[in-house]
Amino acid sequence: MPTIKSVAKLAGVSVSTVSRVLNSSGYVSAKTRKLVMDAVAKLDFRPNHVARSLVHRESKTLGLIVPDIANPYFPALARSVEDAASAAGYVVILCNSGNMEESETRYLSWLRQRMVDGVLLASTNQVTPERLGQDWPVVLLDRDLEGLNVDSVRVNNFLGAQEAVLHLVALGHRKIAHLAGPENVTTAKERVAGFRAALALAGINPDDQQVIHGPFSYEFGQAGMAQLLSAGEVPTAVFCANDMIALGALKTCRERGVNVPLEVSICGFDDIFLAEHTDPPLTTVRQPIYEMGQAAVQMLLSRIKERSQKTPSGKPAPYRGETILLEPQLVIRSTCSRPAN
Amino acid sequence: MPTIKSVAKLAGVSVSTVSRVLNSSGYVSAKTRKLVMDAVAKLDFRPNHVARSLVHRESKTLGLIVPDIANPYFPALARSVEDAASAAGYVVILCNSGNMEESETRYLSWLRQRMVDGVLLASTNQVTPERLGQDWPVVLLDRDLEGLNVDSVRVNNFLGAQEAVLHLVALGHRKIAHLAGPENVTTAKERVAGFRAALALAGINPDDQQVIHGPFSYEFGQAGMAQLLSAGEVPTAVFCANDMIALGALKTCRERGVNVPLEVSICGFDDIFLAEHTDPPLTTVRQPIYEMGQAAVQMLLSRIKERSQKTPSGKPAPYRGETILLEPQLVIRSTCSRPAN
DNA sequence: TTGTAAGCGTTATCAG
DNA sequence: CTGATAACGCTTACAA
């Protein structure tokens, strides 16, 4: 690998001159510039980014931690994040925590050691300020730190869930179950709240309805639906906390010969790519995934910039703790219809 | 951020001593060790990995370039790769080239500048040795460099395709179309070859069958199927080069009221997570995705090790160009049946 | 307009 | 057992 030294030697100039032309900083005569450029081309020299990072104390790298890369929601998010980051000259390190807090913490630490400039965290775990590590630019994705001053971009889960359940109610359902996400995750909690609010609005006692908590996974969808189906009173509709759960539920119905939507209506949340292609196509609440990624990156980038500018002034810039809230949208497809009777 | 210097000062020792205890290299008395450890804990010091990389000329980082993160095949692969890498103490930078050669090249260059120790390349583009850059550890995933000495781990596409088409033939189909991948990608080519071989074996002239090339995408599946359906002679079965294409084809059939499998049988390739959950569930050829990722990482890691060991001896180690070939497996579900008549 | 030298945070070689 | 000191590849005052 050629270094800046080899280029300097070949061009017959000093390393600082090479550096100058490479960064177009400072004056350098046209002829020397050409000399250097030629040497660079001849050697196919590319500046070592690691060395640069060390000097500049920034790596032009972002970290993105997701809980489950197998859930299509996250690849979609990753793509959006990468697009935005890439456009700004950043590369993103994608880390899959597999829903394990330990792994998440380890990644956080790794990223910090690698001088990553900031991280986007889509955590399924309890996020605490300590775990995030001091004054490191972090924006939370689709999660909130309840009342704490952490930046985040999220979707209005309450409204989305409420709208979905209201739709079910409007169709005539009175017996609606909820296959909810993990009990201690804000996203899931908010959806439960929306679910209950809609019910209350319709004059249905939320406490009479079944709410089963579990991970945001296909497997939970299968198991949860099975449980619902074998209970004494089978609901005529089930609102799932995300699409993966809905897919699992759909699968169980198919296996058991339960017709969707005739016997039971199913509604999801997220609108992942596949939702449109299940059979029947899934009615669900769409999250503006692409926009979320974009917004999150913008936010993170501006925090990073602020930080680097504030440094000279002295104090580490007060933490704003802004949150961008995007609106979800109900997408009506074919898994919800009037109840049979 | 605390540095090794601050630790040294706090502990009242020299930086080299701190380094020694941190890397458990060289002798250091129990008491000094404790002194240092305490300082480390107090400061919450973590060694700057970037500086380390610079010294060691290795970053303990792997790059993974995929053509399309939205195709569930790649997240699955990514997950496997990350598992393996992580177990070996490496972190992986996932790059989505979006099927664009330019973006792929840019990433390759970025990764090199970041001193990534090796890269796993799942390219949809034409891969040439020049583009890979000199002697950099690279292993190709699911792609081949036809006859060139590049390491790769792949699946036996020929056999997989052949088996699938033989299955169709056995069901009684004689009019079988192929929605093939990009014309110049080895993976796609091999599948076409398997398709043709199976036909020939069955006494059907491959040249009489329709083969339409296009990207490995859902959209192409839709469009390709539409084209097939509106042609004069509609095939009774279509073999799709991957599952995304098959999903698209399925969608077009549903939209047009064409019954699958009664009117037309559809077979995919990959066995992505969703294949099982389409309606009807997709018959497809399973690739051992997880094993591929694991094998690729092992291979890459061993190349990296070889390289670092060979350096002292002088020569850059002859390029072996090994390829690991895994076997695919036909998974029969419900999208293929006997032709109607 | 260009070169010298210090420094980014570590590790490693060599003396002591 | 421990401490200077020279790298690693690059940027950037500061001189010249």
Side-chain angles (χ1 to χ4, degrees):
Chain A
M1 289 254 93
T3 75
I4 198 175
K5 259 185 206 153
S6 28
V7 175
K9 190 187 299 181
L10 181 60
V13 299
S14 74
V15 292
S16 30
T17 301
V18 176
S19 178
R20 271 184 217 107
V21 352
L22 254 28
N23 303 288
S24 17
S25 63
Y27 296 100
V28 36
S29 74
K31 34 200 153 181
T32 10
R33 154 166 288 109
K34 175 152 180 21
L35 237 45
V36 171
M37 292 307 253
D38 287 350
V40 165
K42 188 159 177 192
L43 264 41
D44 185 29
F45 167 77
R46 333 264 180 97
N48 182 322
H49 190 93
V50 171
R52 264 188 183 168
S53 299
L54 195 55
V55 175
H56 285 140
R57 282 103 160 294
E58 68 167 13
S59 60
K60 288 287 180 188
T61 305
L62 265 25
L64 169 61
I65 304 184
V66 301
D68 180 19
I69 192 74
N71 177 346
Y73 175 84
F74 293 107
L77 193 61
R79 189 175 173 165
S80 163
V81 164
E82 211 192 354
D83 282 356
S86 179
Y90 283 76
V91 14
V92 2
I93 301 191
L94 177 51
C95 306
N96 180 226
S97 72
N99 264 325
M100 295 175 306
E101 182 162 336
E102 180 219 329
S103 158
E104 198 177 286
T105 309
R106 193 158 42 97
Y107 274 130
L108 242 14
S109 172
W110 263 358
L111 292 173
R112 193 136 73 101
Q113 294 188 52
R114 276 157 212 259
M115 295 178 60
V116 158
D117 301 331
V119 2
L120 261 19
L121 178 59
S123 175
T124 230
N125 301 302
Q126 197 67 31
V127 174
T128 61
E130 305 85 54
R131 289 193 41 227
L132 293 183
Q134 35 274 28
D135 66 325
W136 205 31
V138 171
V139 357
L140 261 26
L141 259 166
D142 197 29
R143 297 288 181 272
D144 197 10
L145 225 170
E146 290 176 328
L148 274 144
N149 279 339
V150 175
D151 296 310
S152 66
V153 1
R154 319 173 37 239
V155 91
N156 195 328
N157 291 296
F158 178 87
L159 241 51
Q162 182 172 260
E163 197 181 351
V165 176
L166 247 19
H167 172 60
L168 258 13
V169 165
L171 286 170
H173 295 276
R174 313 293 294 172
K175 202 77 199 134
I176 307 174
H178 182 27
L179 255 22
E183 214 145 356
N184 56 351
V185 171
T186 55
T187 313
K189 280 196 257 192
E190 291 165 1
R191 291 176 195 171
V192 171
F195 167 80
R196 295 176 59 94
L199 257 21
L201 240 38
I204 302 174
N205 184 351
D207 295 328
D208 291 346
Q209 309 299 318
Q210 294 182 73
V211 174
I212 309 180
H213 284 275
F216 278 126
S217 72
Y218 184 83
E219 290 72 23
F220 168 61
Q222 290 182 291
M225 191 67 193
Q227 186 177 335
L228 253 22
L229 253 23
S230 52
E233 217 176 352
V234 175
T236 62
V238 5
F239 169 55
C240 302
N242 79 351
D243 286 351
M244 290 305 273
I245 295 177
L247 292 190
L250 227 37
K251 172 75 167 183
T252 292
C253 289
R254 180 160 44 233
E255 281 173 355
R256 310 224 173 169
V258 174
N259 186 302
V260 175
L262 265 27
E263 294 177 68
V264 41
S265 288
I266 291 182
C267 179
F269 203 114
D270 281 354
D271 195 29
I272 59 178
F273 175 76
L274 303 128
E276 196 180 341
H277 309 112
T278 52
D279 180 65
L282 186 69
T283 288
T284 189
V285 178
R286 172 178 302 163
Q287 290 203 50
I289 304 186
Y290 202 84
E291 294 166 36
M292 292 178 69
Q294 300 280 316
V297 171
Q298 291 319 326
M299 196 163 191
L300 185 57
L301 254 27
S302 76
R303 287 296 174 272
I304 292 173
K305 199 194 292 178
E306 281 174 20
R307 239 177 75 95
S308 68
Q309 292 176 337
K310 282 297 184 327
T311 311
S313 101
K315 318 152 191 183
Y319 220 39
R320 283 215 252 137
E322 186 180 328
T323 128
I324 295 178
L325 194 63
L326 299 171
E327 293 309 317
Q329 182 197 353
L330 180 63
V331 179
I332 298 175
R333 287 198 272 254
S334 318
T335 49
C336 299
S337 68
R338 314 194 166 289
N341 45 2
Chain B
M1 289 254 92
T3 74
I4 198 174
K5 259 184 204 154
S6 26
V7 175
K9 191 187 298 181
L10 181 61
V13 300
S14 73
V15 292
S16 19
T17 300
V18 176
S19 179
R20 271 185 215 105
V21 351
L22 255 29
N23 302 288
S24 18
S25 62
Y27 296 99
V28 37
S29 74
K31 33 200 153 182
T32 11
R33 153 167 288 110
K34 177 152 178 18
L35 237 46
V36 171
M37 292 306 253
D38 287 350
V40 164
K42 188 160 176 192
L43 264 41
D44 186 27
F45 167 78
R46 334 265 178 94
N48 182 322
H49 190 93
V50 171
R52 263 187 184 171
S53 299
L54 195 55
V55 175
H56 285 140
R57 283 107 158 293
E58 68 168 13
S59 60
K60 288 287 181 189
T61 305
L62 265 25
L64 169 60
I65 304 183
V66 301
D68 179 19
I69 192 77
N71 177 345
Y73 175 82
F74 293 108
L77 192 60
R79 189 176 173 163
S80 162
V81 164
E82 210 191 355
D83 283 355
S86 181
Y90 283 75
V91 13
V92 3
I93 300 191
L94 177 51
C95 306
N96 179 223
S97 72
N99 264 325
M100 294 174 307
E101 181 162 338
E102 180 218 330
S103 158
E104 196 176 288
T105 309
R106 193 159 42 98
Y107 273 129
L108 242 15
S109 172
W110 263 358
L111 292 174
R112 193 136 74 100
Q113 295 186 53
R114 276 157 211 260
M115 295 179 59
V116 157
D117 300 331
V119 2
L120 262 18
L121 178 59
S123 175
T124 227
N125 300 301
Q126 198 66 32
V127 174
T128 61
E130 306 85 52
R131 290 195 39 230
L132 293 183
Q134 34 273 32
D135 64 324
W136 206 31
V138 171
V139 355
L140 260 27
L141 259 166
D142 196 31
R143 295 288 181 274
D144 196 13
L145 225 170
E146 290 178 327
L148 276 145
N149 280 340
V150 176
D151 296 310
S152 66
V153 1
R154 318 172 39 237
V155 91
N156 195 329
N157 291 297
F158 179 89
L159 240 51
Q162 183 173 259
E163 195 181 351
V165 177
L166 247 19
H167 172 61
L168 258 14
V169 166
L171 285 171
H173 294 277
R174 314 292 296 171
K175 202 76 199 136
I176 306 173
H178 182 28
L179 254 24
E183 213 146 355
N184 56 352
V185 170
T186 54
T187 311
K189 281 197 255 192
E190 292 165 0
R191 290 177 195 171
V192 172
F195 167 80
R196 295 178 59 94
L199 257 22
L201 240 38
I204 302 174
N205 185 349
D207 294 328
D208 291 344
Q209 308 298 318
Q210 293 183 72
V211 174
I212 309 180
H213 283 276
F216 278 126
S217 72
Y218 184 83
E219 290 72 22
F220 168 60
Q222 290 182 289
M225 192 66 192
Q227 186 177 335
L228 252 22
L229 252 25
S230 52
E233 218 175 351
V234 176
T236 61
V238 6
F239 170 55
C240 302
N242 79 350
D243 286 351
M244 288 305 272
I245 295 177
L247 291 190
L250 227 37
K251 173 74 168 181
T252 292
C253 288
R254 178 158 46 232
E255 281 174 355
R256 310 223 173 170
V258 174
N259 186 302
V260 175
L262 265 28
E263 294 177 68
V264 41
S265 289
I266 291 182
C267 179
F269 203 112
D270 281 353
D271 195 29
I272 59 179
F273 175 75
L274 303 128
E276 194 180 342
H277 310 112
T278 53
D279 180 63
L282 187 68
T283 289
T284 190
V285 178
R286 171 178 303 163
Q287 292 203 49
I289 303 186
Y290 202 83
E291 294 166 38
M292 290 178 69
Q294 301 281 316
V297 171
Q298 291 322 326
M299 197 163 189
L300 185 56
L301 254 27
S302 76
R303 288 295 174 273
I304 292 172
K305 199 193 295 179
E306 283 174 19
R307 240 176 75 95
S308 68
Q309 291 176 338
K310 281 300 188 322
T311 310
S313 102
K315 318 152 190 182
Y319 219 39
R320 282 215 251 136
E322 185 180 327
T323 129
I324 295 178
L325 194 62
L326 299 171
E327 293 310 316
Q329 182 197 353
L330 180 64
V331 179
I332 297 176
R333 286 197 272 253
S334 317
T335 50
C336 299
S337 68
R338 311 193 168 290
N341 46 0

